[in-house]
Amino acid sequence: MTQSVLHTALERFQALDEKISHLESISGLLSWDQKVIAPKKGRAQFSKAYGSLQTEIFDLMISQEMGELLDQLSESNENFDTITKAKIRLRKHFYNRSKSIPSDLYKEYSVLCSDANDAWEEAREKNNYRLFLPYLEKIVEIKKKFVEYYGYEKHPYDALLDEFEPGLTVEALDPLFASLREKSIALLNKIKAASHKTPVEIVKQPFAIEKQKEFNRYMLPQLGFDLDAGRLDETVHPFAQTVNTGDVRITTRYLEDNVLSALFGTIHEAGHGIYEQQISSSFEGTVLCSGTSFGIHESQSRFLENMVGRSEAFWQYFLPKLKEFFPTQLHNVELQEFYEAINTVHPSFIRVEADELTYNLHIMLRYEIEKELFEGKLEVSELPTVWNKKMEEFLGIVPPTDTLGVLQDVHWSFGGFGYFPSYSLGNLYAAQLLKTMKKELPEFDQYLENGHLQPIMSWLKEKIHQHGSLYTPNELIVSVTGEQLNAAYLVEYLEEKYSGVYQL
Amino acid sequence: MTQSVLHTALERFQALDEKISHLESISGLLSWDQKVIAPKKGRAQFSKAYGSLQTEIFDLMISQEMGELLDQLSESNENFDTITKAKIRLRKHFYNRSKSIPSDLYKEYSVLCSDANDAWEEAREKNNYRLFLPYLEKIVEIKKKFVEYYGYEKHPYDALLDEFEPGLTVEALDPLFASLREKSIALLNKIKAASHKTPVEIVKQPFAIEKQKEFNRYMLPQLGFDLDAGRLDETVHPFAQTVNTGDVRITTRYLEDNVLSALFGTIHEAGHGIYEQQISSSFEGTVLCSGTSFGIHESQSRFLENMVGRSEAFWQYFLPKLKEFFPTQLHNVELQEFYEAINTVHPSFIRVEADELTYNLHIMLRYEIEKELFEGKLEVSELPTVWNKKMEEFLGIVPPTDTLGVLQDVHWSFGGFGYFPSYSLGNLYAAQLLKTMKKELPEFDQYLENGHLQPIMSWLKEKIHQHGSLYTPNELIVSVTGEQLNAAYLVEYLEEKYSGVYQL
């Protein structure tokens, strides 16, 4: 290919990438609007308009033009800079995955997922797994076909992991999770046996919601979340949605009798939000302008929520502030008490309500089930039994109903197999990053004690955030921490924290 | 053309119409978002994404496919039902107008308008018309070329009117406005000479904004605006934006020392909003799903704001309610006093602050200037002089500065010539509709006195709203009222109202 042909191909690719990115930015805003503020009577009609846009985006991403440009550019890949190579890699990843599924099968699958979601809602409401079973069986059956179309080297589940954590394999994940599981269960058993109890009742008083809102808005900028480049709103299920780096919208949920719900919901989503606000603005309008994987994204929210937000040093600064907003409820509360209360460990049935330690056990239970499903070792009909067995094994409790067990998560109803591991990967990445950060920022604890998070956020910006999707998750963690992902850091962090909290 | 070819063409046309309608629905939501709630740091980047979508919509509307389909379908127009004919007519209208402008000229014009808007803002701020003059001269020059490309039968200004009020001509408008102007000036002079003064001070007290918000939200559903199919928000410049018939968003502006600003702003925008909420849902996703013209749209907002909202009967019901929200401010206020206060006539410089009578004089001043500009009888450099001369002639006052005169409106900076007449057309349509409605609903006043607006809104739905853009404005007014638009009804309405208010 001549230089001028190559140059033209690159320009066309960049224009197409920009157009798709613009439409995705729009799609993000629309999705936020419909979840957060759209009046209910307009939503059914709007979803048709939204569908038209989604179809348009999908068609552009797998268009003949995109295919031809990717072919042309891939031939000359060595001529390009890192940024261009990354753009090509990412567009190609999506193109290849999507093109590999026959469009008839994809349509069948989309319709099925829509029906399955309704069936799941009904099944959960009626506590009747059999209502969901035939849909889930069909989803797994089709998803197994997808796996064959996607292709994989060693394990069929690798093809699913690849959607959420590009490059991750069962071979890499199994030892990480095995180690984490074993150590977590051992630690949990120690905590259960401990005589010391945390004063969890101090955060279960009534906290006026208006005051909670004020505190959240006061705290957000101090965490590093720029309210002029984002919004904080309310939804039942908190989430973060990026429109662009200057418009990142997060939500939280306020509960009158549990001040921690909004507090840690907000801190968690702020972690996602700050990541996106700090991506280099030179990546605006390109495929690089978002977090690099679900796992790395989750590492940023978990880091802020847990490593920062559930640390004693953080509350050394913020507890006196919180007391100003809630003098009646908190005036007698000591820092140590508050720290223990927010780090209470309590095995429970519902993943999204789990504490920092047991959360990973909920995830690993799902990971094992998903892996066995796609290995063909487990039938969909066996899921409730296996679920409860593993709950007993991991957490020592058995859900009394499937609604509190196998039916609790929405993910399988849309075929989101391979998604769950991201949550624990986030914790693993976060602990490893914390280790490195503390080496490079020896005053880490003092920063927290003074409510001065800026050096921490600058470090994250420099090492992680600014790069958007430029590097793969693995490239990123190795370049920042100097080694592959290693479960030892999270285990060490958890053991150290809970030894303090529970006086082990 | 065979039936099957025709059938295919029609299906393709409908699919294209739906896609454009969906993207326009999205565009409407985005525009609302950026004006009302988007964080400021994201707006510049988002406007690029928005621009991509606008380009996409425009390209589809003037696409080769659209052109071919319109050609094919037009040949067989007599075979289609009213709805299909209307869709073809509307898409063709836009296609022909847009295609008639060479794309280079259109691009030049778009860039110019963007620069002109900046220049206008600076000129207005600095009270210096000369800063805006060269831009406005260029805009008029290019717009004159547009007029030639659009074509017209009798008067060049007809080509501009056609954008906002399809089918309207100077020949039809001149006598309407001449009569309205003459009678309005005569009435204004009588009012100026009247010894009776209205107690305007009763609405100029401090009214707590939170209470104003509560009253507006209480009132809206009673007007017929469905808050489950829309929203009420705040902006400096109130407006209405449709996403679909189940999602119509209006805004208002609250001023502490002027309770009327938000009150009548909300009622006005609710008039626009109810129109769109009441369009037949069978028109969703088609070009028919919006009001039929700027003038008819304005008739609905003006009808609700003035004929309903500034009537004595309306406040017979609502004043006691308003007093519940503002007992301190209003407890001594009698209905007659309040009615007079909200119908105070006072010639002033700024159009958007004008009362119901003098408003039309502001419009007709602009109409005459625009018409003469496009007749070539007036130079852009002469505008400040002519403006002030006409202000004296129509309203008896002369603006002390151009900022309070010729520079006050944004419209010319984006080349919106032909737009202003819509506002007074709205008043003319509204008065004529009121006349017919009172004949067909003899209990009209009693409905208002009882705060029972439902029969009135149902009448408007049946006669106007449900039809969306199915009929042209002229077809609609003739079919509903039995005659062409006639200024006598507005004149009669104004004379009757102000004879009462000012005891003439």
Side-chain angles (χ1 to χ4, degrees), chain A residues 18-19 21-23 25-26 29-30 32-34 36-46 48-50 52-53 56 60 226-231 243-249 281 284-285, chain B residues 18-19 21-23 25-26 29-30 32-34 36-46 48-50 52-53 56 60 226-231 243-249 281 284-285:
Chain A
E18 181 177 63
K19 183 170 181 182
S21 299
H22 282 167
L23 296 182
S25 164
I26 287 169
L29 191 155
L30 301 178
W32 175 89
D33 181 273
Q34 298 299 302
V36 182
I37 59 166
K40 63 182 178 191
K41 288 188 183 168
R43 288 183 205 161
Q45 172 59 27
F46 194 76
K48 295 183 194 165
Y50 184 69
S52 286
L53 182 71
E56 166 104 19
L60 288 171
D226 182 351
L227 279 166
D228 287 331
R231 292 180 54 93
V243 177
N244 55 52
T245 64
D247 185 351
V248 179
R249 306 180 183 194
S281 61
E284 291 278 24
Chain B
E18 182 177 61
K19 183 168 182 184
S21 301
H22 283 167
L23 296 183
S25 164
I26 288 169
L29 191 155
L30 301 178
W32 175 89
D33 180 272
Q34 298 298 302
V36 182
I37 59 166
K40 63 182 178 190
K41 287 186 183 170
R43 288 184 204 161
Q45 173 59 27
F46 193 76
K48 294 182 194 166
Y50 185 69
S52 286
L53 183 70
E56 167 105 18
L60 288 170
D226 183 351
L227 280 165
D228 287 332
R231 293 179 53 92
V243 177
N244 55 52
T245 64
D247 186 351
V248 180
R249 305 179 183 195
S281 61
E284 292 277 23

Side-chain angles (χ1 to χ4, degrees), chain B residues 165 168 173 176-177 295 299 421-430 485:
Chain B
E165 209 63 15
L168 185 69
L173 195 50
L176 288 166
F177 275 9
S299 79
S422 312
Y423 296 113
S424 284
L425 280 168
N427 289 325
L428 291 165
Y429 286 132
L485 187 57

Side-chain angles (χ1 to χ4, degrees), chain B residues 355-422:
Chain B
D355 56 75
E356 199 179 345
L357 174 63
T358 60
Y359 192 93
N360 295 314
L361 294 169
H362 284 275
I363 293 306
M364 291 186 284
L365 173 157
R366 287 154 177 77
Y367 169 65
E368 292 189 5
I369 287 176
E370 290 189 351
K371 207 174 53 165
E372 288 176 19
L373 271 177
F374 285 89
E375 282 169 346
K377 288 187 189 164
L378 187 60
E379 297 299 319
V380 176
S381 59
E382 298 172 281
L383 256 54
T385 314
V386 175
W387 183 283
N388 290 358
K389 201 172 133 273
K390 286 189 190 289
M391 276 297 286
E392 180 150 34
E393 187 187 333
F394 291 5
L395 287 160
I397 55 176
V398 179
T401 67
D402 287 337
T403 298
L404 291 171
V406 69
L407 286 172
Q408 70 184 270
D409 296 306
V410 69
H411 300 59
W412 292 342
S413 80
F414 63 79
F417 299 99
Y419 189 140
F420 282 121
S422 312

Side-chain angles (χ1 to χ4, degrees), chain B residues 226-435:
Chain B
D226 183 351
L227 280 165
D228 287 332
R231 293 179 53 92
L232 173 65
D233 294 275
E234 274 183 78
T235 50
V236 174
H237 303 290
F239 69 100
Q241 177 68 58
T242 301
V243 177
N244 55 52
T245 64
D247 186 351
V248 180
R249 305 179 183 195
I250 62 174
T251 70
T252 194
R253 178 172 70 151
Y254 298 95
L255 299 177
E256 169 105 18
D257 59 357
N258 186 349
V259 73
L260 302 187
S261 168
L263 205 50
F264 288 104
T266 302
I267 300 176
H268 180 96
E269 299 307 333
H272 286 300
I274 294 165
Y275 186 0
E276 301 266 326
Q277 285 183 337
Q278 297 207 111
I279 292 174
S280 167
S281 61
S282 66
F283 291 168
E284 292 277 23
T286 77
V287 68
L288 301 180
C289 205
S290 71
T292 191
S293 73
F294 282 68
I296 295 289
H297 232 301
E298 199 66 15
S299 79
Q300 298 308 294
S301 55
R302 301 272 162 168
F303 176 84
L304 199 61
E305 178 188 351
N306 294 328
M307 279 69 176
V308 170
R310 285 196 165 86
S311 72
E312 192 167 351
F314 180 82
W315 288 102
Q316 184 165 329
Y317 179 82
F318 277 104
L319 183 59
K321 309 292 173 192
L322 190 64
K323 284 183 178 187
E324 288 174 22
F325 288 78
F326 298 104
T328 321
Q329 292 89 337
L330 298 176
H331 77 284
N332 274 329
V333 173
E334 301 289 334
L335 175 60
Q336 175 67 21
E337 290 177 301
F338 188 78
Y339 172 63
E340 289 183 9
I342 64 176
N343 284 296
T344 300
V345 171
H346 180 69
S348 61
F349 303 122
I350 302 295
R351 173 181 61 85
V352 297
E353 294 166 5
D355 56 75
E356 199 179 345
L357 174 63
T358 60
Y359 192 93
N360 295 314
L361 294 169
H362 284 275
I363 293 306
M364 291 186 284
L365 173 157
R366 287 154 177 77
Y367 169 65
E368 292 189 5
I369 287 176
E370 290 189 351
K371 207 174 53 165
E372 288 176 19
L373 271 177
F374 285 89
E375 282 169 346
K377 288 187 189 164
L378 187 60
E379 297 299 319
V380 176
S381 59
E382 298 172 281
L383 256 54
T385 314
V386 175
W387 183 283
N388 290 358
K389 201 172 133 273
K390 286 189 190 289
M391 276 297 286
E392 180 150 34
E393 187 187 333
F394 291 5
L395 287 160
I397 55 176
V398 179
T401 67
D402 287 337
T403 298
L404 291 171
V406 69
L407 286 172
Q408 70 184 270
D409 296 306
V410 69
H411 300 59
W412 292 342
S413 80
F414 63 79
F417 299 99
Y419 189 140
F420 282 121
S422 312
Y423 296 113
S424 284
L425 280 168
N427 289 325
L428 291 165
Y429 286 132
Q432 189 160 328
L433 288 170
L434 176 69
K435 188 78 181 184

Side-chain angles (χ1 to χ4, degrees), chain A residues 385-497:
Chain A
T385 315
V386 176
W387 183 283
N388 290 359
K389 199 170 135 276
K390 286 190 189 286
M391 277 296 287
E392 181 151 34
E393 187 186 336
F394 292 3
L395 287 159
I397 55 176
V398 179
T401 67
D402 287 338
T403 298
L404 291 171
V406 70
L407 287 172
Q408 70 184 268
D409 295 307
V410 69
H411 301 58
W412 292 342
S413 79
F414 63 80
F417 299 99
Y419 191 138
F420 283 121
S422 312
Y423 297 113
S424 285
L425 280 169
N427 289 326
L428 292 164
Y429 287 132
Q432 188 159 328
L433 288 171
L434 177 67
K435 188 78 180 183
T436 302
M437 190 191 287
K438 282 186 165 181
K439 268 186 221 146
E440 298 186 6
L441 297 178
E443 296 183 88
F444 179 84
D445 282 332
Q446 287 93 303
Y447 293 143
L448 294 187
E449 286 165 10
N450 295 309
H452 179 51
L453 274 68
Q454 193 271 325
I456 296 168
M457 289 304 150
S458 291
W459 190 92
L460 288 171
K461 178 176 182 175
E462 187 201 331
K463 305 284 181 177
I464 313 270
H465 299 176
Q466 65 167 329
H467 305 302
S469 301
L470 186 57
Y471 304 113
T472 67
N474 192 55
E475 284 170 353
L476 205 54
I477 198 75
V478 171
S479 83
V480 177
T481 69
E483 61 176 311
Q484 297 286 333
L485 188 58
N486 183 337
Y489 299 111
L490 180 58
V491 168
E492 181 191 79
Y493 160 85
L494 291 169
E495 286 176 345
E496 193 181 314
K497 170 180 254 189

Side-chain angles (χ1 to χ4, degrees), chain B residues 111-122:
Chain B
V111 173
L112 174 64
C113 285
S114 171
D115 295 342
N117 188 268
D118 295 342
W120 167 73
E121 284 190 0
E122 193 188 346

